[in-house]
Amino acid sequence: MFKKVLISEDMDSISNGVATVLEALQITTFQKVQYCDDAYIKIKKAAQDQAPFDLLITDLSFKADHRTQKYPSGEILVKALKQEHPNLKTIVYSVEDRPAKIRTVLTECKTEAYVCKGRNGLKDLTEAIHAVYNGQRYISPQLVNTYKQSPPSEIDDYDIELMKLLANGLSQEEMSIHFKNNDIKPSSISSIEKRIVKLRNHFNANNSIQLISIVKDLGII
């Protein structure tokens, strides 16, 4: 079983529940943090001290406060750590159940398990820890069908990148420059304008602001 675990969770009640699961599994060496930046620092330092953590259990969403964070979410944290510490196993423990978000965390962030907080959350977390330790991927049973759902038809990587730029407030001219600099086609302003109109029609959005609101709610961006 895992020897050293880090819990990254800003709610004490949930963090304590996770700790109870670890203790029941006779994992007694674990630490708890409330900020993703602290989790990153602890994992980096432990690796440098040649006493690395072998499992991270983290939420996705963390409430913002006065402290500026380089890693404001569990998603960003896991993605960064997986690039730097590929042997670190990770379990996401979250209330987020949107298909696109689950797919992103499992594929782009390469986390080993996605567990849904809820009535059976701690039971599922126990199963996830066993599965990940044995080299298996785990998704909470109630999320399996959600994860398998296909993203909206006719939406490709270009559309997602365009909507991310739109959400960040870039003008069509700035998007055109960005696409040209990154060799992404089509990159002309007219093509970008037509694609935005197409996306607004696809999602029944009256304007670009509503479009971004809809796709964010769907977890597409």
Side-chain angles (χ1 to χ4, degrees):
M1 186 46 69
F2 293 109
K3 296 179 179 179
K4 190 174 181 182
V5 181
L6 183 63
I7 304 168
S8 181
E9 168 62 61
D10 57 359
M11 297 287 289
D12 286 338
S13 59
I14 296 174
S15 183
N16 291 337
V18 174
T20 299
V21 168
L22 297 178
E23 290 169 348
L25 293 171
Q26 298 184 336
I27 302 172
T28 57
T29 304
F30 60 84
Q31 296 180 37
K32 298 185 286 185
V33 295
Q34 292 184 311
Y35 294 90
C36 289
D37 280 26
D38 291 345
Y40 181 86
I41 291 170
K42 279 187 175 292
I43 288 171
K44 291 289 288 184
K45 186 175 187 306
Q48 291 171 356
D49 294 342
Q50 297 186 342
F53 287 94
D54 44 14
L55 176 65
L56 167 68
I57 301 173
T58 182
D59 194 357
L60 285 183
S61 301
F62 289 75
K63 188 174 181 180
D65 59 14
H66 62 282
R67 216 174 127 174
T68 302
Q69 298 290 302
K70 181 177 180 181
Y71 304 98
S73 72
E75 179 180 347
I76 296 172
L77 172 67
V78 170
K79 193 169 186 177
L81 288 173
K82 279 295 188 179
Q83 292 175 345
E84 299 175 25
H85 305 278
N87 292 328
L88 174 70
K89 304 300 183 184
T90 60
I91 296 175
V92 166
Y93 187 44
S94 173
V95 297
E96 177 65 71
D97 61 0
R98 291 177 294 177
K101 180 61 68 177
I102 297 171
R103 190 177 295 106
T104 296
V105 172
L106 288 169
T107 57
E108 294 184 15
C109 300
K110 297 181 172 60
T111 192
E112 280 76 19
Y114 197 107
V115 180
C116 185
K117 291 178 180 176
R119 186 171 300 166
N120 297 314
L122 295 180
K123 173 179 173 292
D124 289 350
L125 182 59
T126 301
E127 294 178 357
I129 293 171
H130 279 293
V132 172
Y133 180 75
N134 290 313
Q136 302 167 349
R137 170 170 278 189
Y138 181 91
I139 306 175
S140 287
Q142 67 269 40
L143 296 179
V144 171
N145 290 333
T146 299
Y147 170 65
K148 290 180 179 178
Q149 290 178 17
S150 300
S153 59
E154 301 178 18
I155 303 301
D156 56 23
D157 291 340
Y158 177 90
D159 294 317
I160 292 173
E161 179 67 15
L162 187 152
M163 289 188 288
K164 285 181 179 178
L165 296 176
L166 193 62
N168 288 332
L170 272 69
S171 67
Q172 292 179 14
E173 182 177 332
E174 289 169 329
M175 291 181 199
S176 176
I177 294 172
H178 171 82
F179 286 149
K180 288 176 182 176
N181 289 341
N182 290 277
D183 196 27
I184 299 173
K185 298 178 181 179
S187 59
S188 68
I189 294 176
S190 61
S191 296
I192 291 170
E193 183 179 5
K194 290 176 182 177
R195 189 62 69 98
I196 292 174
V197 171
K198 171 192 167 185
L199 289 167
R200 282 169 49 185
N201 291 335
H202 182 81
F203 289 100
N204 295 317
N206 295 323
N207 50 52
S208 295
I209 294 175
Q210 188 179 20
L211 169 64
I212 297 307
S213 176
I214 291 170
V215 295
K216 281 186 175 180
D217 285 343
L218 291 172
I220 295 173
I221 65 171

